[in-house]
Amino acid sequence: MSDLINEFVLWEPLKITTVVMFIIVIVLLPFSGFWSVIMLFAIVCLWSRVPCLLSTFTKDFEVVDFFVVMLAIHVGGIFGGIFGILLMLFSRIFGPQEWWLYTVKDGISIMVCGFLTPLFYFVTGGSAINTIYLFTIVRYALYILLTVFLEPDYLGLELSLCAIGALEAYLFNTFIMNTFEEHLSKLFIGGVHFSFGLFAITLGLIVLFFSIGRLARRLENYLTPEEKPQDEFHGLIF
């Protein structure tokens, strides 16, 4: 099982990269609390992508969209959008089996939605949870639109996967926003500042996402033990 999982996630490079990122957090702390926090956000987002890289059942178990929304609301839409696409593309390095056009399409969708998040926030009357709902709807729509132009032959597959993933996205985003939005918002009061509580939570979330990823991979191999061609699920939606 571990050998199979290693085919989907480059664990050693991921672990080394995480250690380096934690060192950068510590080095930056005396000079810029803002960039230390952004680096912690990046670590959480990177590890939240692990379940997505491992299994077709967990494409929505990432929190990139949540942090993009929070950054776009409190720092700026351009910053949030760029943060989102960079995390999507960077995390793909550690998941060589993920179809590259999926990463590109989803990354572009997240970036554009990040740019538009301040507008979503205004339209929803300053409701963060409704903002992420609107963010997700537009993200799906953009993803499908990009599929029409880049991979029209897989449009039917993508539409069916979007339909399946919609409920998962709604439930997960609702849970994440209701659980963490209030606490995270406090970091932005009076300017972004470092929190040792966030540092501890980051470590805990890494363990959580690692566990979810391994469990999801076991489930998928139990349900679909036969080996499938890579192209069959090339464009799995979030």
Side-chain angles (χ1 to χ4, degrees), residues 48-63 88 97-99 102-103 106 139-140 161 165 168-169 172 216 233-238:
S48 76
R49 285 269 291 140
V50 167
C52 307
L53 302 174
L54 280 173
S55 172
T56 61
F57 292 95
T58 50
K59 284 296 180 181
D60 259 305
F61 281 88
E62 47 87 357
V63 293
M88 289 297 298
Q97 296 294 329
E98 184 173 75
W99 180 242
Y102 160 77
T103 314
D106 201 17
R139 176 183 172 184
Y140 271 69
L161 292 169
E168 180 183 333
F172 188 68
F233 293 106
H234 79 289
L236 286 167
I237 195 69
F238 28 84

Side-chain angles (χ1 to χ4, degrees), residues 148-168:
V148 170
F149 287 102
L150 299 177
E151 298 183 289
D153 292 342
Y154 293 98
L155 180 60
L157 174 63
E158 297 289 19
L159 285 171
S160 63
L161 292 169
C162 282
I164 294 171
L167 178 60
E168 180 183 333

Side-chain angles (χ1 to χ4, degrees), residues 117-169:
T117 293
L119 176 61
F120 297 158
Y121 192 63
F122 174 77
V123 169
T124 58
S127 168
I129 192 165
N130 288 329
T131 296
I132 201 169
Y133 291 157
L134 186 54
F135 180 105
T136 303
I137 292 170
V138 177
R139 176 183 172 184
Y140 271 69
L142 288 174
Y143 185 93
I144 293 300
L145 183 62
L146 289 170
T147 300
V148 170
F149 287 102
L150 299 177
E151 298 183 289
D153 292 342
Y154 293 98
L155 180 60
L157 174 63
E158 297 289 19
L159 285 171
S160 63
L161 292 169
C162 282
I164 294 171
L167 178 60
E168 180 183 333

